[in-house]
Amino acid sequence: MKVVAVLNEKGGCGKTTIATNLARGLQLEGRDVMLVDSDVQGSARDWGAVDTETEKPAVVGMDRPTLHKDIPKVAEGSDVVVIDGAARAEKMQTSAIKASDLVLIPVQPSAYDIWSSETLVELVRARQEVAGKPDAAFIVSRQIVGTNLAGEAQEALESFDLPVLRGRTAQRVIYAEAASQGLSVLDVDPSSKAAGEIRQIVEDILATLDLQTARTNGTTG
């Protein structure tokens, strides 16, 4: 089992959008996926509770700082667990980091968002010194199409000496439309640009977790 935590100190950076779409994207790649909502706001749980004809990943609420102890108990048999992280909750973030193989840090292309990532990066590095993991990577989130801000943000993020995923999300109405229906953009319109963005993120995550194997052979790395 692999655990991916989508974390950032700052609210409104697109954590839940990325977590829900990533979980569904991994499921469509043939993985058994559990989505853990660790935010007391419960947005991912609300998404999971919307009744649809689509078989979505199981969504479990865990809003206590014991994720590293609880996830192995409830997610037995899952291939991948995706944690939708809580903002402004250092104990929860620390627990999520302990539970994870990969911490994905979404940042909007603005100086404020980039600066707010510093504390989280320090928490990740402190855990790496103790346990040798998790890996961590930035993902540019909610970029404004047609601007140079995302490129400038990537240059700034590289100063943290962490990789920046090739996949990124843009501000597109379809993300909100999909969320309101309890679906991913892959379900609402598989041919959309947003669906292409999520597929790239899924590909990046599978490669990072060394799970990039053919779906047809029924094996995982």
Side-chain angles (χ1 to χ4, degrees), residues 30-91:
R31 313 299 172 177
D32 189 324
V33 182
M34 176 176 286
L35 177 59
V36 171
D37 187 345
S38 68
D39 195 327
V40 294
Q41 292 184 353
S43 297
R45 276 170 278 184
D46 292 341
W47 174 84
V50 177
D51 188 21
T52 70
E53 295 181 357
T54 300
E55 182 181 353
K56 297 181 291 188
V59 183
V60 177
M62 295 185 186
D63 50 19
R64 295 184 179 181
T66 53
L67 296 171
H68 56 294
K69 298 178 181 178
D70 298 337
I71 285 176
K73 298 175 185 176
V74 302
E76 188 175 355
S78 298
D79 297 321
V80 186
V81 175
V82 178
I83 302 173
D84 180 20
R88 305 180 185 90
E90 186 171 316
K91 289 184 179 180

Side-chain angles (χ1 to χ4, degrees), residues 12-146:
C13 62
K15 290 189 297 294
T16 301
T17 295
I18 289 172
T20 53
N21 281 277
L22 171 60
R24 177 64 175 143
L26 289 167
Q27 183 187 41
L28 288 170
E29 285 295 312
R31 313 299 172 177
D32 189 324
V33 182
M34 176 176 286
L35 177 59
V36 171
D37 187 345
S38 68
D39 195 327
V40 294
Q41 292 184 353
S43 297
R45 276 170 278 184
D46 292 341
W47 174 84
V50 177
D51 188 21
T52 70
E53 295 181 357
T54 300
E55 182 181 353
K56 297 181 291 188
V59 183
V60 177
M62 295 185 186
D63 50 19
R64 295 184 179 181
T66 53
L67 296 171
H68 56 294
K69 298 178 181 178
D70 298 337
I71 285 176
K73 298 175 185 176
V74 302
E76 188 175 355
S78 298
D79 297 321
V80 186
V81 175
V82 178
I83 302 173
D84 180 20
R88 305 180 185 90
E90 186 171 316
K91 289 184 179 180
M92 286 296 297
Q93 290 182 344
T94 299
S95 181
I97 290 168
K98 287 181 180 180
S100 298
D101 298 286
L102 171 65
V103 173
L104 190 59
I105 308 171
V107 289
Q108 294 184 91
S110 76
Y112 298 112
D113 281 68
I114 294 168
W115 294 335
S116 73
S117 302
E118 186 171 357
T119 300
L120 179 58
V121 171
E122 289 174 355
L123 290 174
V124 170
R125 286 180 173 153
R127 181 61 182 171
Q128 288 173 337
E129 290 179 3
V130 172
K133 68 173 193 175
D135 291 329
F138 287 108
I139 175 170
V140 175
S141 172
R142 302 180 66 183
Q143 69 178 16
I144 301 173
V145 178

Side-chain angles (χ1 to χ4, degrees), residues 175-221:
Y175 283 111
E177 292 175 340
S180 68
Q181 297 174 54
L183 297 171
S184 76
V185 294
L186 297 163
D187 302 307
V188 173
D189 185 354
S191 64
S192 65
K193 290 182 179 179
E197 292 168 356
I198 297 302
R199 288 193 192 96
Q200 181 63 64
I201 294 168
V202 169
E203 181 180 328
D204 292 347
I205 297 302
L206 288 173
T208 302
L209 294 175
D210 196 25
L211 290 174
Q212 192 70 283
T213 56
R215 180 170 46 178
T216 54
N217 67 16
T219 62
T220 58

